[in-house]
Amino acid sequence: MPPQPSSDPEVPHVAPPAPSSDRRSTLFGRLPLPERNYVAEALRTETVGGVILLAAAVAALLWANTSGSSYASVSDFHFGPAALGLDLSVAHWAADGLLAVFFFVAGVELKRELVAGELRDPRAAALPVAAALCGMAVPAVLYALTAALGGGSAAGWAVPTATDIAFALAVLAVIGTSLPAALRAFLLTLAVVDDLFAILIIAVFFTESIDFLALGGAFVGLVVFHLLLRAGVKGWYVYVPLALVIWGLMYNSGVHATIAGVAMGLMLRCTRREGEARSPGEHIEHLVRPLSAGVAVPLFALFSAGVTLKGDALAGVFTRPETLGVVLGLVVGKTLGIFGGTWLVTRFTRAQLNKELAWADVFAVATLAGIGFTVSLLIGELAFAGDEDMINEIKAAVLIGSLIAAVLSGVLLKLRVRRYRALYDAEELDEDESGVPDVYEQDDPEYHLRMAAIFERKAAEHRRLAERAGAASSEPDSPA
């Protein structure tokens, strides 16, 4: 039967959204079905990965604060071919090696968004791009102001600019909030754009010297990678060794090695051809994303989040200008930047906020985006390279700022959880059991015929029950 209005006065009845003739004019409107399915699959993997990431971060903190010497010895243990310039510590392998897998997936996501997703249309892309840009600019400015007023170093301006989608989704999983599909897609696309600009920041601002011979070799490797893809050559045994060579050359060039992962991800074809259920990029992303979310990023967290949290160190986060700037950037800057960027899109375009949502929902998601972990920790290490004490304090600031953002967003989202659940249930309703939510079948005659058959069967069953009840009531011994 169609969904009935809730008896709970706090939960408004949510009717399935009517089809829109111009979806682009509505912020957070209904997603096309293929995009919805892609987002749902991607977020499921990221949510599981986020929970593992959360566990790895807790394990790192416990390990570092209960047996700091063993944590340091394992993190600093070196291995790798020194002749190739790759005799690196465990922590270094995690940051430069494993995170290349994470950025490879980010590159594929970005390519897909550009050719088949929300970023394909400039008008549709305006919202996540504006929100991401403002969500990076405001934290950077806020950090710079805090550092300048307190006489601190401006080197960490980029630390609070990144959003960690996996950690944000882990928070959603913990608090049990069923965000509507459009808000979840916005969060994912925002993180993809955020990752793009974080990559550019790393490449431009954290490359001190360049070995042009190694960089040229990496470029030649990327050209070969591209030509093999264009020729349709298949087989992991071809691409994985080539990718390792490209990564090694990129690392030795002085450019951060994760850039190699992004470049290779961007080269994959992410448009489907006739007869393809998935494009090559989508297929490879489907295979590699669990490795990235479940292994690469958690291992990076294990060897990067091991911060010694003593009483004076925690108190110092709010008194030292660099660390205070990171906390304010994540908690205040991210929220105001993303919320303000979204508002500006509605102010200077014809777009309107989805009538099923409120600006309070945008503010809550903006607060959730203040959780900066993986890339923030990486940038913190790069920004203050050589100063271990400052790196430790910056990491503590990232953890505390992310924790505050997580708690605030959790509270704000919980205030609207019933509304979200009603919207989510309406989006997922599949009464005809076709495997496609009913809201996507309103223009399909077959859907209405299936529903008519379902109601006719129910009506026949109720008539039969009515006849049985009438016959029972007319028996002599039946109660009056």
Side-chain angles (χ1 to χ4, degrees), residues 21-193:
S21 59
D22 184 11
R23 186 181 63 84
R24 297 172 190 150
S25 64
T26 302
L27 297 184
F28 311 116
R30 187 198 309 161
L31 299 173
L33 185 59
E35 185 72 8
R36 171 194 174 276
N37 292 339
Y38 168 81
V39 169
E41 180 182 352
L43 292 183
R44 275 194 296 269
T45 304
E46 291 289 355
T47 300
V48 174
V51 174
I52 300 173
L53 173 62
L54 184 59
V58 173
L61 289 171
L62 292 175
W63 188 4
N65 287 276
T66 56
S67 182
S69 59
S70 66
Y71 180 84
S73 63
V74 172
S75 297
D76 294 336
F77 178 76
H78 280 65
F79 67 96
L84 299 177
L86 296 175
D87 182 20
L88 310 178
S89 67
V90 171
H92 209 162
W93 276 111
D96 286 281
L98 291 178
L99 276 195
V101 179
F102 166 78
F103 279 106
F104 171 79
V105 174
V108 179
E109 288 178 335
L110 177 61
K111 178 67 174 291
R112 187 198 166 278
E113 290 290 339
L114 289 170
V115 301
E118 290 295 293
L119 301 181
R120 177 180 55 180
D121 188 312
R123 288 180 292 179
L127 174 59
V129 170
L133 283 173
C134 293
M136 298 184 82
V138 176
V141 171
L142 196 55
Y143 174 94
L145 289 174
T146 305
L149 293 174
S153 171
W157 64 270
V159 175
T161 60
T163 293
D164 193 302
I165 183 64
F167 226 136
L169 292 173
V171 171
L172 288 178
V174 170
I175 64 177
T177 299
S178 299
L179 279 180
L183 286 177
R184 285 179 286 153
F186 171 67
L187 189 59
L188 180 61
T189 307
L190 178 73
V192 170
V193 179

Side-chain angles (χ1 to χ4, degrees), residues 210-220 249-250 252-253 255:
I210 297 179
D211 182 330
F212 288 100
L213 182 61
L215 184 61
F219 180 76
V220 171
L249 288 168
M250 188 69 75
N252 281 285
S253 73
V255 177

